[in-house]
Amino acid sequence: MAHSEPSSRVRFGPFEADLRTGELWREGSRVPLQEQPFQVLAALLGRPGDLVTREELRRRLWPRSVFTDFEHGLNKAVNKLRRTLDDLADEPRYVETLPRRGYRFVASVSGATTPSRPGGFRLIHGGRTYLLSPGANLIGRDPSCVLCLEASSVSRRHAEVVVFEGGACLRDLTSKNGTFRGEVRVTDIVPLADGDEIRIGTVRVQFRAAGRESTVTATSG
């Protein structure tokens, strides 16, 4: 059944970020921004006003690799983001540094649609409900994941659902057996709508939005 998809655009100052396409705009003009700096921005926009730790950003930017110099890589990504936003570390308008801990987005944020209430997005699997928090929600075999799936077809950090103001997106984390929305393999960041089926390897999970009741139980196979 056809259904409308949530908006993925978030506005702050003169900027607008599309979390689905990975694009940044300033007063109607597209601003070039590389993948890693944009992922830092997306993580911060997912939880404006909250601390996003360096470890959270490491897992988001380098989920499957042992990147021993990630401190340098993360600093570089943040510096590129600041240059793009015309921001200063000493007098931040957008990205505040919390020394040795992480970063916080300090500007006012607004979405293109009405924000969903906290806990409004969730995943249904095996008859259980898993509430999704703002920002990145990991799915995989790793016990630290929001939804931990003990299946051989699932990678340790397989995919993530990114919850932002007004919607949610699905992103594959270079998994071995793929992530699917319905029957279509996820090769980019894709928006999620209420009732969408997500396949993690061979495990099927249902995505639900605020104010809806689930009637489908996810199965594997």
Side-chain angles (χ1 to χ4, degrees):
M1 181 177 64
H3 42 66
S4 61
E5 294 179 336
S7 171
S8 60
R9 296 205 169 200
V10 180
R11 293 188 292 268
F12 57 96
F15 296 97
E16 185 174 60
D18 192 321
L19 303 184
R20 179 178 64 84
T21 64
E23 293 176 296
L24 180 67
W25 303 79
R26 179 171 185 161
E27 297 178 338
S29 298
R30 191 173 183 275
V31 180
L33 187 61
Q34 295 176 333
E35 170 70 13
Q36 288 182 347
F38 189 89
Q39 287 303 318
V40 172
L41 176 62
L44 297 176
L45 289 175
R47 289 159 50 190
D50 291 343
L51 166 68
V52 178
T53 68
R54 295 179 69 86
E55 175 59 21
E56 289 176 276
L57 291 170
R58 183 195 67 79
R59 292 198 303 262
R60 183 185 181 102
L61 272 66
W62 299 284
R64 288 177 60 104
S65 62
V66 180
F67 186 24
T68 57
D69 197 21
F70 91 88
E71 294 281 352
H72 173 74
L74 179 55
N75 290 340
K76 186 176 179 180
V78 171
N79 288 337
K80 286 183 177 180
L81 174 60
R82 281 198 171 112
R83 284 198 297 271
T84 299
L85 300 179
D86 293 328
D87 203 13
L88 297 174
D90 294 338
E91 299 178 4
R93 290 180 298 168
Y94 302 111
V95 180
E96 178 187 23
T97 299
L98 283 73
R100 297 182 297 279
R101 298 174 63 195
Y103 304 92
R104 177 166 52 204
F105 199 83
V106 295
S108 298
V109 172
S110 63
T113 59
T114 303
S116 299
R117 58 183 170 82
F121 295 116
R122 55 203 186 276
L123 298 176
I124 309 297
H125 170 65
R128 296 185 60 185
T129 298
Y130 299 82
L131 296 180
L132 302 176
S133 302
N137 296 264
L138 289 171
I139 306 172
R141 292 203 328 271
D142 194 300
S144 67
C145 292
V146 172
L147 175 53
C148 182
L149 301 171
E150 297 181 0
S152 60
S153 64
V154 177
S155 301
R156 289 187 68 251
R157 296 178 183 275
H158 193 110
E160 66 180 4
V161 174
V162 181
V163 174
F164 52 91
E165 188 175 8
C169 293
L170 176 64
R171 177 175 178 242
D172 181 71
L173 299 178
T174 62
S175 63
K176 180 180 179 181
N177 294 307
T179 301
F180 299 79
R181 183 186 62 174
E183 298 303 319
V184 179
R185 186 162 187 159
V186 173
T187 58
D188 200 347
I189 302 173
V190 299
L192 289 170
D194 180 60
D196 277 347
E197 181 184 79
I198 301 171
R199 179 151 59 88
I200 307 296
T202 60
V203 180
R204 299 179 187 273
V205 177
Q206 190 182 41
F207 173 80
R208 300 300 308 212
R212 307 282 183 169
E213 296 299 327
S214 174
T215 58
V216 178
T217 299
T219 59
S220 61

